[in-house]
Amino acid sequence: MQCDPDCKYTCHAHCQDLVHLGCRRNGKLMDCLAPHDALDSSCNKGQDVQKEREPHVYLSKEEVKEKIQSYNSSVTDKLKMTLNANGIYTGFIKVQMELCRPITVQSSQSQGRCAHSNNETAFYLPDGCVNTLHISSTNTVREVIEALLKKFFVADNPAKFALYKRCHKEDQVYTCKLSDREHPLYLRLVAGPRTEMLSFVLREHETGEVMWEAFSIPELQNFLRILDKEENDQLQILKNRYAAYRGKLEEALRGVFKPG
């Protein structure tokens, strides 16, 4: 469907209620959300849906103070927030790592499946890995991503990654990519300490086709070594499986033709 006669933004009919536009008419600049910023490619119930970005509402100093007091009274893991005299507050956020591709770390020793190149190692992070960061209300999404990568000694370019917020609403899970200028601790404060209300997820920046040109030569070489190792491992598993089948068949045939 088309939202307005003067607007060229188009969306599915069943996604209409999820889209809000702030367009101005009379030929002036339109302020519509781009399709990839507004919704994910899927709008089905029960699946991850990338919701439109909510408008940022700023709190007064008194409101921040009240919010922090309410937040700290609800905390169950002792990860409380602290308000400083200058109005800046500090606290903790938890970020779940959901990375599909291997990361490159500046270390010669790493756990997991790995391949070595000089002093760098490429390996897969375990699924569901969660990291806790202590940040301030002034720290942006980009700074949080950089701090996470630094904590893991990741050598990859921070521009390859994006921070998402995930929340539950009406039995659906909404996942929205945060802009580099947003402040995660503010979002944590407004949502409260319950992670089912709001959680943070680190993913690869691009969600479609992999942009291999963004990777360095050592990274690509590490990926090839990992693929070669996985291919050899799978090939050996298949050989062992069919060797076992062959042995059982030969044993069964010997039993059938055994002279009585």
Side-chain angles (χ1 to χ4, degrees):
M1 64 159 291
Q2 198 156 358
C3 305
D4 186 277
D6 297 323
C7 179
K8 295 182 179 180
Y9 186 91
T10 304
C11 72
H12 295 102
H14 59 275
C15 298
Q16 181 179 1
D17 294 338
L18 298 175
V19 180
H20 299 279
L21 302 177
C23 306
R24 290 182 292 171
R25 299 185 179 182
N26 300 326
K28 295 183 179 179
L29 180 65
M30 308 299 283
D31 189 24
C32 299
L33 292 174
H36 64 275
D37 288 332
L39 293 174
D40 205 328
S41 59
S42 173
C43 296
N44 297 328
K45 278 192 174 184
Q47 298 182 356
D48 273 11
V49 178
Q50 187 172 327
K51 196 180 181 184
E52 70 276 9
R53 191 168 291 113
E54 298 176 358
H56 196 88
V57 179
Y58 292 95
L59 302 176
S60 65
K61 290 184 179 180
E62 283 301 318
E63 288 174 328
V64 169
K65 184 177 180 180
E66 292 176 3
K67 280 280 188 182
I68 291 177
Q69 291 175 347
S70 175
Y71 183 97
N72 289 341
S73 65
S74 303
V75 166
T76 58
D77 53 10
K78 298 182 180 181
L79 300 180
K80 297 185 177 182
M81 293 194 186
T82 303
L83 179 62
N84 300 318
N86 58 3
I88 297 175
Y89 51 95
T90 58
F92 299 85
I93 62 169
K94 295 180 179 180
V95 181
Q96 183 171 346
M97 316 289 278
E98 292 186 355
L99 304 179
C100 300
R101 296 190 294 276
I103 59 173
T104 303
V105 296
Q106 296 175 334
S107 171
S108 59
Q109 294 180 348
S110 299
Q111 296 180 351
R113 297 174 293 169
C114 60
H116 298 274
S117 174
N118 298 329
N119 294 325
E120 293 186 346
T121 303
F123 75 103
Y124 290 92
L125 278 178
D127 292 336
C129 178
V130 177
N131 204 282
T132 302
L133 286 179
H134 185 253
I135 62 174
S136 79
S137 55
T138 62
N139 288 132
T140 62
V141 164
R142 180 51 46 189
E143 290 171 333
V144 167
I145 293 174
E146 292 173 352
L148 274 172
L149 300 183
K150 184 178 180 180
K151 195 169 185 179
F152 279 97
F153 302 99
V154 177
D156 296 289
N157 190 336
K160 296 178 183 177
F161 304 92
L163 191 67
Y164 291 75
K165 67 175 181 179
R166 177 185 291 158
C167 56
H168 296 258
K169 184 178 180 182
E170 299 176 355
D171 297 328
Q172 292 193 53
V173 179
Y174 294 91
T175 304
C176 177
K177 186 173 72 173
L178 299 173
S179 71
D180 289 348
R181 296 184 299 275
E182 293 191 73
H183 300 87
L185 193 61
Y186 173 84
L187 299 176
R188 179 80 277 164
L189 175 64
V190 172
R194 295 173 55 191
T195 53
E196 59 266 28
M197 297 299 295
L198 173 73
S199 59
F200 296 104
V201 180
L202 184 72
R203 294 177 177 175
E204 284 86 0
H205 184 70
E206 58 273 2
T207 56
E209 184 179 352
V210 178
M211 300 175 60
W212 295 111
E213 62 272 14
F215 293 88
S216 65
I217 296 299
E219 288 176 320
L220 295 174
Q221 291 173 340
N222 281 337
F223 295 159
L224 288 175
R225 291 189 182 96
I226 291 173
L227 292 174
D228 287 340
K229 182 179 183 301
E230 291 180 347
E231 183 180 4
N232 292 331
D233 290 345
Q234 290 299 318
L235 183 60
Q236 190 60 46
I237 290 172
L238 287 174
K239 286 182 177 179
N240 293 339
R241 181 186 302 172
Y242 283 99
Y245 288 161
R246 183 183 183 88
K248 291 180 180 180
L249 284 172
E250 290 176 346
E251 182 179 354
L253 288 172
R254 285 193 297 267
V256 171
F257 293 106
K258 185 176 180 180

